[in-house]
Amino acid sequence: MKKILEIYKTAKAPVYSFEFFPPKTPEGETKLFEAVEELSKVDPGYITVTYGAGGSTRDKTIRITSELAKKFSLPAAAHFTCVGGNKDEIRVILKQIRESGIENLMALRGDPPKGEEAFKKVEGGFGYASELISFIKQEGFDFCMGAACYPEKHPEAASLESDVDNLKRKVDSGASYLVSQLFFKNSNFESFLDLIRKKGINVPVIPGIMPITSFTQIERFKSMAACEFPEKLVSDLEEVKDNQEEFYKRSISFSVNQCRELVKMGAPGIHLYTLNQSPASLDIVRELKN
């Protein structure tokens, strides 16, 4: 399996990648494989599979990541978090991941288990992604590790500056590239890039983009990611929120233009959050490649 940093180092064009989550049902899993098959038509650089809150999908994440990589001959990264495991347990899981043929990880702190509001460090475990990344390196695992970054700061961070200091610790610990939380204002991403470069963070930073497929998602994204929305985008979509065809057309047009601008700014690729559906991400990448 090709390592993701090498993909970015050797790419002659922007790298388009897709994120999926492990479905809860066999029917959902069938639909996931169908979505990946559709998206494989645009030759993605790699795919990623998330890890459920509280580590609830750990085994499924490993299995699906491995199966998708083999079935579609795609490089793949499994998400891996600090949640719910001490060092000994984490070491065992890392061995399982490596033995399954996976060479890439997205190393994250993770979200609290369902029903809990705050993240709690397990006794003998880790409280930060930087600690997890450092442990993986110290244990001699040769994963290529990505980490998350937040152009508008992590919701729990006291300030953007303190969040960037924490990001520097992730990179210094061994993160090879960064994938951003979703955002909709490129000016915020540009300011963020300028800030982290001044702090000496020089690894590839990949914008994470989420197509909007319904008007109700806007409030959910604001709550989930604390991200700003351009006023014109909101008003344009509100105007046609009951006309699904026109809504989709306007939303995809915004995402395509956002991605084009990011690539012109020097982004090495675009990471699309698919929600296990292919149409929006497929249309965006096809338009970008045209």
Side-chain angles (χ1 to χ4, degrees):
M1 185 183 290
K2 200 166 185 179
K3 295 194 173 181
I4 289 171
L5 181 60
E6 287 306 309
I7 294 171
Y8 286 114
K9 280 184 174 181
T10 58
K12 295 178 181 177
V15 175
Y16 299 107
S17 54
F18 301 113
E19 181 171 297
F20 306 94
F21 63 84
K24 295 179 180 178
T25 65
E27 294 78 14
E29 199 164 311
T30 298
K31 289 180 180 178
L32 166 62
F33 276 75
E34 289 171 352
V36 177
E37 185 169 16
E38 279 296 299
L39 288 164
S40 68
K41 294 175 182 176
V42 292
D43 192 27
Y46 64 94
I47 58 172
T48 70
V49 181
T50 66
Y51 205 69
S56 57
T57 64
R58 183 186 69 205
D59 294 339
K60 195 179 283 189
T61 294
I62 297 168
R63 176 179 62 79
I64 287 178
T65 305
S66 180
E67 288 180 4
L68 288 173
K70 291 171 184 173
K71 182 175 176 63
F72 298 104
S73 300
L74 286 169
H79 285 217
F80 190 73
T81 77
C82 303
V83 181
N86 60 34
K87 292 178 183 179
D88 292 336
E89 291 166 331
I90 286 172
R91 188 182 295 111
V92 169
I93 300 163
L94 289 168
K95 287 179 180 177
Q96 291 173 354
I97 294 172
R98 197 64 191 83
E99 287 166 3
S100 73
I102 298 167
E103 296 190 27
N104 301 288
L105 291 181
M106 274 295 292
L108 311 162
R109 187 201 70 176
D111 297 322
K114 193 172 183 179
E116 295 183 20
E117 291 186 7
F119 179 88
K120 294 178 183 176
K121 177 179 174 179
V122 172
E123 186 175 348
F126 305 109
Y128 299 97
S130 56
E131 296 173 341
L132 175 64
I133 293 166
S134 181
F135 174 77
I136 293 170
K137 284 288 186 183
Q138 289 169 9
E139 290 293 308
F141 290 101
D142 63 346
F143 293 108
C144 174
M145 286 185 284
C149 63
Y150 300 83
E152 294 162 295
K153 92 172 181 62
H154 191 285
E156 296 174 24
S159 66
L160 181 58
E161 288 72 20
S162 65
D163 198 29
V164 169
D165 288 340
N166 183 53
L167 184 63
K168 180 90 164 57
R169 285 190 283 272
K170 294 183 194 178
V171 173
D172 290 346
S173 297
S176 297
Y177 66 98
L178 302 169
V179 179
S180 87
Q181 173 64 282
L182 60 95
F183 63 95
F184 295 89
K185 293 185 75 170
N186 285 355
S187 57
N188 288 345
F189 184 76
E190 190 171 28
S191 298
F192 172 75
L193 272 184
D194 184 56
L195 177 60
I196 68 170
R197 297 311 188 205
K198 287 177 180 176
K199 290 279 189 176
I201 299 173
N202 295 308
V203 298
V205 182
I206 296 83
I209 298 299
M210 177 86 85
I212 304 169
T213 54
S214 72
F215 192 74
T216 56
Q217 284 181 323
I218 293 176
E219 287 305 317
R220 187 149 31 109
F221 292 162
K222 283 181 181 177
S223 172
M224 176 185 75
C227 54
E228 283 189 83
F229 280 80
E231 289 182 10
K232 187 175 188 310
L233 171 63
V234 176
S235 62
D236 283 351
L237 293 181
E238 186 171 23
E239 187 177 87
V240 293
K241 64 181 179 181
D242 296 321
N243 181 337
Q244 186 56 37
E245 185 177 346
E246 183 61 25
F247 184 96
Y248 183 85
K249 182 180 176 182
R250 291 188 185 187
S251 175
I252 296 304
S253 176
F254 173 84
S255 293
V256 168
N257 289 331
Q258 183 185 15
C259 292
R260 281 184 176 145
E261 188 175 275
L262 289 164
V263 169
K264 284 181 181 178
M265 284 165 48
I270 302 291
H271 189 66
L272 286 148
Y273 298 111
T274 69
L275 297 179
N276 287 12
Q277 299 177 42
S278 61
S281 296
L282 188 62
D283 285 345
I284 289 167
V285 175
R286 276 181 170 157
E287 188 66 29
L288 291 168
K289 289 198 167 191
N290 286 338

